[in-house]
Amino acid sequence: NGLFYDPEKDQVIDHVGGRADLKEKLIRTIGDPDLRLAEDYLRLLRAVRFSSVLEFSLHPDTRAAIRRNANGIQKISIERIEQELSRILIESPRAGKALHLMMDVGLLQQILPEVAAMREQEQPPQFHPEGDVFTHTMMMLDMMENPNLTLAYSILFHDIAKPVTAATTIEPDGSERIRFNRHANIGAEMTTSILERLRLSRSQVEDVAH
């Protein structure tokens, strides 16, 4: 909304360098980023959505301001947060990359600390050579095609309980192995709690938890 159009002169009026940013595929606040974000802290999450859906980059000053103000998202109603999060998951060409960005700027830790906890949770390398639980889950999100909310949230939360169930066991051959006993059952309970917190409908919660 920083650009104006004069229909009589068929002319775009740009006082803020917006056309140049569009050409460079750049997301930038108008003026002081800290002030713009403080006007409505939902802009923290909207910036991530615009960046991920349009496949634009965040301007370094805007990215730094989002990181500084990330805890401001707690002042926004959960219903507005859920709308932005759900759109990120189903509209982004690479939803996993979008959540990596949320993690980098400190928003994922504020909104979904259970998902942030999956980072650096190791898995048995013979079964998961791709890396930790967070990496595994983000790769799956990136592979979605024509997703709906049930699929997107099911992928996002399918290993949500691994960090809280992780245990190292000694196998019969004397080797060590990381196991996640009952992580599916406990994950379903955690998923129900998280989605109820996000105020999704009862049917959506039940479908994803199942």
Side-chain angles (χ1 to χ4, degrees):
N1 59 6
L3 298 175
F4 300 88
Y5 176 66
D6 185 337
E8 293 185 354
K9 296 181 179 179
D10 188 24
Q11 177 183 355
V12 174
I13 302 169
D14 178 10
H15 297 297
V16 295
R19 299 183 80 175
D21 284 345
L22 285 171
K23 185 177 181 180
E24 295 296 322
K25 296 187 174 182
L26 200 60
I27 300 294
R28 183 204 313 251
T29 60
I30 296 173
D32 186 319
D34 292 286
L35 293 178
R36 292 293 81 76
L37 295 172
E39 290 170 352
D40 181 0
Y41 282 115
L42 189 65
R43 289 174 178 170
L44 296 160
L45 200 50
R46 285 170 61 84
V48 171
R49 176 166 66 82
F50 293 156
S51 176
S52 60
V53 172
L54 297 172
E55 297 185 287
F56 280 24
S57 299
L58 289 176
H59 186 277
D61 292 345
T62 298
R63 180 189 286 261
I66 293 172
R67 191 177 289 115
R68 284 194 299 272
N69 292 276
N71 63 353
I73 199 67
Q74 299 292 344
K75 299 179 181 180
I76 300 300
S77 72
I78 196 64
E79 290 85 356
R80 296 179 76 200
I81 291 173
E82 179 275 318
Q83 289 176 356
E84 291 295 323
L85 177 63
S86 294
R87 292 189 66 180
I88 287 170
L89 287 170
I90 63 175
E91 295 179 16
S92 301
R94 294 180 59 194
K97 184 178 179 181
L99 265 70
H100 270 291
L101 177 58
M102 286 180 62
M103 175 79 87
D104 180 63
V105 297
L107 288 173
L108 192 64
Q109 298 89 320
Q110 297 288 333
I111 298 169
L112 294 173
E114 301 91 342
V115 175
M118 297 192 299
R119 183 176 240 178
E120 299 183 0
Q121 174 55 62
E122 296 181 358
Q123 304 185 92
Q126 64 268 40
F127 300 115
H128 292 284
E130 72 280 6
D132 64 24
V133 179
F134 187 77
T135 300
H136 163 74
T137 303
M138 297 309 109
M139 289 175 66
M140 291 182 65
L141 287 172
D142 281 343
M143 294 174 68
M144 291 190 300
E145 295 182 2
N146 303 314
N148 55 49
L149 277 184
T150 300
L151 175 63
Y153 278 117
S154 296
I155 291 174
L156 180 60
F157 297 136
H158 82 279
D159 276 342
I160 195 69
K162 279 190 172 180
V164 299
T165 60
T168 301
T169 61
I170 304 299
E171 299 301 293
D173 63 1
S175 64
E176 291 186 348
R177 177 180 166 183
I178 302 172
R179 290 188 179 273
F180 308 97
N181 295 332
R182 298 192 69 248
H183 80 273
N185 305 72
I186 295 171
E189 296 171 0
M190 291 178 64
T191 295
T192 297
S193 176
I194 295 167
L195 293 180
E196 287 178 345
R197 186 174 80 219
L198 291 174
R199 307 283 175 84
L200 265 69
S201 71
R202 170 51 49 188
S203 62
Q204 287 175 314
V205 173
E206 291 176 352
D207 287 347
V208 175
H210 174 76

